[in-house]
Amino acid sequence: MAFPDWTLYFLGVVIISGGFYIYRLCRDPRKSALISGLFMRLMARTEKSLFKIAYALYTRTKLGYMFHKRQMRKARERYPTGHSKTQSTSLNGIKIIPVPILSDNYSYVVIDTASNLAVVVDPADPQAVQACLEEEGVTLEAILCTHKHWDHSGGNQALRRVYSSCQIYGNAIDNIPGLTRPVSDKDTINVGTRLHFRAFYTPGHTVGHMIYLLDGQPFGSPSSLFSGDLVFLCGCGRMFEGSATTMLSSLDTVGSLNDDTLLWPGHEYAEDNLMFAVEVEPGNVAREQKLQWVLQQRDQRLCTSPSTLGEEKQYNPFLRSHAQELHRALGLQQSQDEDWTAYRARVLEALRKRKDIYKGR
């Protein structure tokens, strides 16, 4: 299992501290043989345990926020103008602006152009988001937070200090920083005259993960889904706090939405995800066409958002747990006494494990 970037710092701390302790013990010849045997047994269990420790430190302590601030500084130095070039999308009085932050995240500024009121999704870097808001000359009314991880929630409180009337929405069970308006499944959030969102409860990546659907149909436009770390272009998030069955249910929520829905994910993972999909569905023509387009975009550092859910259903393997082609590629068959949902969850689990090994995302 490959670790996400944000765990490396904590893993280093744990490994160095543990290694120093073992070194001190091993200096005593009487204990060295005993320690050697214990160490070998410990290493068989270490990876999973270290990850749990690192994850807990990142999500539940101030060390996680300190690490996030360090990552912001490094990203600003490495990408002074952002990791990707983006452009706004206008949808009949609604303007959506992807804001590149950190090394591969996106925040989204969503503007009701009639009232000059704005909503921001996952503003992890408050400096970048505030610069966008000021450039557009709009007032921030609401923050929609998909989940608690600092690379999605790290700017909540700083922005609210600047925009005091701004409300912060998210799931209370996910411990969202600065939360003022807890939301549950199917709750609605309205800002201005055209920004009408519906929240969907989609656990799996975290226990309280939410996604937000901006309704465009009343205005003759496609709807827009802000999916956080549930669904990416040709990918899905890791199952940090849920089972494959839980994640499957959340992915099925996405799969039930209209095909023309625009997908605005939380990360620029398109190229890696599509390259992984080559391994599991090499004959997928739609995937190959999308890959060629993404390679052209990324060669110029251009943003790959949005795709559409109709496209994703054709080539995103994590939305295709029903596909026989995928089952054959994974070498899986449904057991006689296994119901369809349980089998699809097993397919999803096998697929996610293979992706974990392929790339740490």
Side-chain angles (χ1 to χ4, degrees):
M1 176 178 178
F3 294 112
D5 291 343
W6 51 259
T7 63
L8 297 179
Y9 173 78
F10 299 115
L11 288 175
V13 170
V14 172
I15 291 169
I16 291 170
S17 300
F20 180 69
Y21 179 68
I22 291 171
Y23 167 75
R24 289 184 62 191
L25 289 176
C26 288
R27 290 186 67 187
D28 184 343
R30 296 169 297 177
K31 298 179 180 179
S32 60
L34 173 63
I35 294 301
S36 177
L38 289 173
F39 182 71
M40 293 302 294
R41 289 194 292 272
L42 176 64
M43 288 306 294
R45 305 179 185 179
T46 293
E47 186 171 321
K48 192 171 183 179
S49 298
L50 285 179
F51 174 76
K52 287 181 178 179
I53 293 169
Y55 186 78
L57 287 171
Y58 177 75
T59 58
R60 299 179 186 176
T61 73
K62 290 184 178 179
L63 285 174
Y65 181 62
M66 292 169 60
F67 177 70
H68 169 68
K69 291 178 69 175
R70 175 177 174 271
Q71 294 301 92
M72 279 197 298
R73 288 194 298 270
K74 289 175 62 178
R76 288 168 185 166
E77 292 171 2
R78 184 178 179 185
Y79 306 110
T81 59
H83 59 74
S84 299
K85 302 172 186 176
T86 65
Q87 60 183 18
S88 63
T89 297
S90 294
L91 303 167
N92 290 334
I94 297 171
K95 188 175 184 180
I96 301 174
I97 307 171
V99 181
I101 59 173
L102 297 168
S103 61
D104 53 37
N105 283 74
Y106 288 115
S107 298
Y108 295 98
V109 173
V110 186
I111 300 170
D112 174 7
T113 57
S115 63
N116 275 343
L117 298 178
V119 169
V120 174
V121 181
D122 288 352
D125 185 340
Q127 179 176 303
V129 170
Q130 186 177 347
C132 180
L133 292 168
E134 292 176 350
E135 182 177 349
E136 294 294 324
V138 296
T139 301
L140 179 60
E141 284 288 295
I143 290 171
L144 308 185
C145 199
T146 60
H147 63 291
K148 63 192 173 188
H149 291 162
W150 292 110
D151 65 323
H152 292 259
S153 65
N156 289 359
Q157 292 167 306
L159 282 170
R160 194 160 193 266
R161 285 194 290 269
V162 178
Y163 302 93
S164 58
S165 64
C166 170
Q167 300 300 312
I168 300 174
Y169 295 82
N171 196 325
I173 65 174
D174 221 31
N175 195 29
I176 302 296
L179 182 68
T180 62
R181 296 289 181 89
V183 292
S184 302
D185 190 42
K186 306 294 175 50
D187 281 355
T188 58
I189 303 162
N190 299 311
V191 173
T193 59
R194 291 183 177 243
L195 303 185
H196 305 304
F197 295 87
R198 184 175 294 274
F200 292 92
Y201 178 45
T202 54
H205 182 67
T206 66
V207 69
H209 195 285
M210 306 294 292
I211 58 177
Y212 300 95
L213 182 69
L214 173 62
D215 189 3
Q217 293 184 352
F219 315 109
S221 297
S223 297
S224 288
L225 180 65
F226 299 92
S227 60
D229 280 1
L230 173 63
V231 176
F232 310 119
L233 193 156
C234 200
C236 84
R238 283 172 171 265
M239 295 180 283
F240 287 131
E241 300 178 12
S243 65
T245 302
T246 302
M247 183 64 95
L248 178 64
S249 177
S250 296
L251 292 171
D252 281 349
T253 296
V254 173
S256 70
L257 300 176
N258 291 339
D259 284 358
D260 66 350
T261 302
L262 302 178
L263 178 66
W264 304 91
H267 289 267
E268 181 56 74
Y269 288 167
E271 184 175 344
D272 285 339
N273 287 343
L274 285 160
M275 292 299 290
F276 168 72
V278 173
E279 294 193 356
V280 293
E281 284 195 284
N284 189 313
V285 175
R287 187 265 314 142
E288 182 59 28
Q289 291 173 344
K290 190 68 174 184
L291 175 59
Q292 294 307 313
W293 178 82
V294 164
L295 290 174
Q296 292 173 6
Q297 291 289 104
R298 295 311 298 162
D299 188 54
Q300 302 173 68
R301 292 182 54 246
L302 295 174
C303 175
T304 59
S305 299
S307 62
T308 69
L309 293 187
E311 289 180 282
E312 294 300 314
K313 292 171 188 178
Q314 293 181 59
Y315 56 64
N316 187 333
F318 297 95
L319 295 177
R320 292 170 53 77
S321 57
H322 61 279
Q324 292 185 359
E325 301 91 335
L326 188 60
H327 303 167
R328 287 193 291 268
L330 295 172
L332 297 176
Q333 291 183 338
Q334 185 178 5
S335 304
Q336 287 187 346
D337 59 347
E338 186 176 30
D339 69 47
W340 182 236
T341 299
Y343 175 55
R344 289 178 59 222
R346 186 157 63 89
V347 171
L348 178 62
E349 184 173 27
L351 185 64
R352 186 62 247 188
K353 285 182 177 178
R354 185 176 290 195
K355 181 62 167 67
D356 291 345
I357 296 170
Y358 176 82
K359 211 72 168 177
R361 289 176 171 172

